[in-house]
Amino acid sequence: MRLIWIAIAAVTAMLAAPASGQQWPARNVKLIVPYPAGGNVDSAARIVADKLQEKLGQPFVIENKAGAGGMIAGEAFAKSAPDGYTLFVGANGPVLFATEINKREAYNWKKDFMPISTISMTPLVLEVHPSVQATTLKEFLDLAKREPGKLTMASPGPGTTNHLLSELMQSSLELQWVTAHYRGNAPAINDLLGGQVQFAFDQLTVSLQHIKAGLFRALAVTSPHRLKSLPDVPTFAELGYKDLDGQTFTGLFAPSGTPAPIVDKLHETLVAILKDPAVIDKFEKLGGEATPMTPGEFKAYLEREDAKWIPVVRKANIRAD
């Protein structure tokens, strides 16, 4: 009888113990995405989910939880058990800005999120409607200075990287234009196509097809180097504007307190995925770049971005709709 109780106790202890890197994953893993299906972040999540499933032998299931600039998803994730079975594929807005813009301390990435690695970086492109009399960044800036408040910028929403870059540019270069906020990229770009607004800062993922078709004119990109897909378009940095380097990151997070063996296994697997030429090609076709980092590098990057952009949010008094 005593041996039976010992065996039961041993099994109970095994079931209660935190998962190790060797044991994990033993079932489905959920990836929370803070946007609807089909966008930049969702696409990145699906690329890595398929490969994680392939390499780790369990389904990685996408759960899209849109709303409140990503804060609904962020709050749900922050309350998840730190067992490796709920992960978060986040971006600038949901991770860094949503709680500040909504003025609600639902979570704090420094306390609640454990950075695993960046997945990709997607630069923004400053693009104008063909009716705008500017073929270079200098001509655009001269136009904006000559006629303050005349140009209108299409924003996919308050607090997006697109919006913040616009606010930073106006503040640092003493410019002024009107900002028209839309509910997402699609309606913003539709109005730019129709000429109801004059320009946008947009993810290349969305705009590359329109630039290639001559429907938009690209003036500069925010990447640190010229892009293969737009080799003739200069970077802001090479034109002398090094601070205008905002990019949209996507990154993988686990809840704080997730066991180190699981974090290590996730990171090692994700880095291998992001070095796969086929995966690199998929991100390039989306207008981004597969960009792995160590957890420490990712945390340091987030701290720099936080220090750079939160003051912009506060100075411009950006609030959620």
Side-chain angles (χ1 to χ4, degrees):
M1 188 69 177
R2 184 169 178 273
L3 290 174
I4 293 174
W5 281 112
I6 291 172
I8 292 172
V11 170
T12 302
M14 287 175 62
L15 292 174
S20 71
Q22 287 72 36
Q23 297 165 333
W24 178 91
R27 53 183 168 86
N28 291 6
V29 178
K30 180 168 65 177
L31 289 178
I32 295 178
V33 175
Y35 296 109
N40 180 55
V41 178
D42 178 74
S43 297
R46 290 179 190 278
I47 290 171
V48 298
D50 288 345
K51 288 293 183 179
L52 286 168
Q53 178 169 325
E54 180 183 305
K55 288 183 175 292
L56 296 175
Q58 293 289 345
F60 280 70
V61 181
I62 303 293
E63 181 178 309
N64 298 96
K65 289 182 83 71
M71 199 167 71
I72 291 173
E75 186 171 8
F77 168 72
K79 294 176 180 177
S80 300
D83 57 7
Y85 290 100
T86 302
L87 306 174
F88 187 68
V89 178
N92 311 53
V95 177
L96 300 175
F97 313 136
T99 56
E100 177 71 26
I101 290 167
N102 285 276
K103 292 299 175 187
R104 191 161 71 84
E105 289 294 328
Y107 56 87
N108 184 319
W109 75 264
K110 295 178 182 179
K111 176 173 63 75
D112 300 316
F113 292 13
M114 181 176 287
I116 304 297
S117 173
T118 38
I119 294 171
S120 65
M121 293 287 183
T122 303
L124 301 178
V125 57
L126 171 58
E127 59 199 13
V128 299
H129 187 269
S131 63
V132 175
Q133 299 300 304
T135 58
T136 66
L137 179 62
K138 182 180 184 306
E139 290 175 355
F140 174 82
L141 297 177
D142 288 344
L143 176 62
K145 287 176 183 176
R146 248 187 350 261
E147 303 182 64
K150 183 175 181 180
L151 296 172
T152 299
M153 192 274 290
S155 159
T160 56
T161 309
N162 322 52
H163 178 209
L164 295 185
L165 185 63
S166 166
E167 293 293 342
L168 177 61
M169 194 169 181
Q170 289 180 85
S171 175
S172 61
L173 301 181
E174 298 182 346
L175 302 172
Q176 182 184 352
W177 48 67
V178 175
T179 301
H181 289 301
Y182 295 82
R183 294 188 179 277
N185 274 311
I189 293 306
N190 282 341
D191 271 11
L192 183 57
L193 286 166
Q196 287 91 340
V197 293
Q198 286 73 54
F199 75 100
F201 296 91
D202 201 25
Q203 280 79 8
L204 201 60
T205 315
V206 177
S207 291
L208 183 59
Q209 59 178 323
H210 302 309
I211 294 169
K212 295 285 191 182
L215 300 174
F216 298 152
R217 186 183 305 125
L219 303 183
V221 293
T222 62
S223 52
H225 48 74
R226 291 202 183 197
L227 303 173
K228 291 180 182 178
S229 52
L230 291 175
D232 297 328
V233 179
T235 68
F236 279 98
E238 72 180 89
L239 295 174
Y241 303 99
K242 294 183 179 179
D243 289 340
L244 300 176
D245 61 349
Q247 298 192 77
T248 299
F249 76 82
T250 56
L252 183 66
F253 298 84
S256 288
T258 300
I262 294 176
V263 172
D264 292 343
K265 191 170 184 178
L266 263 173
H267 178 260
E268 179 184 347
T269 307
L270 182 58
V271 168
I273 288 168
L274 296 175
K275 290 182 177 180
D276 181 338
V279 171
I280 291 170
D281 183 62
K282 285 182 180 180
F283 279 107
E284 285 184 351
K285 287 178 178 175
L286 287 173
E289 187 174 2
T291 313
M293 292 183 187
T294 67
E297 289 169 341
F298 190 15
K299 184 173 184 290
Y301 168 79
L302 291 170
E303 288 171 343
R304 291 194 301 271
E305 290 292 286
D306 194 286
K308 176 177 179 176
W309 294 109
I310 291 299
V312 175
V313 172
R314 291 173 179 167
K315 184 176 180 180
N317 195 30
I318 298 172
R319 296 287 184 271
D321 287 338

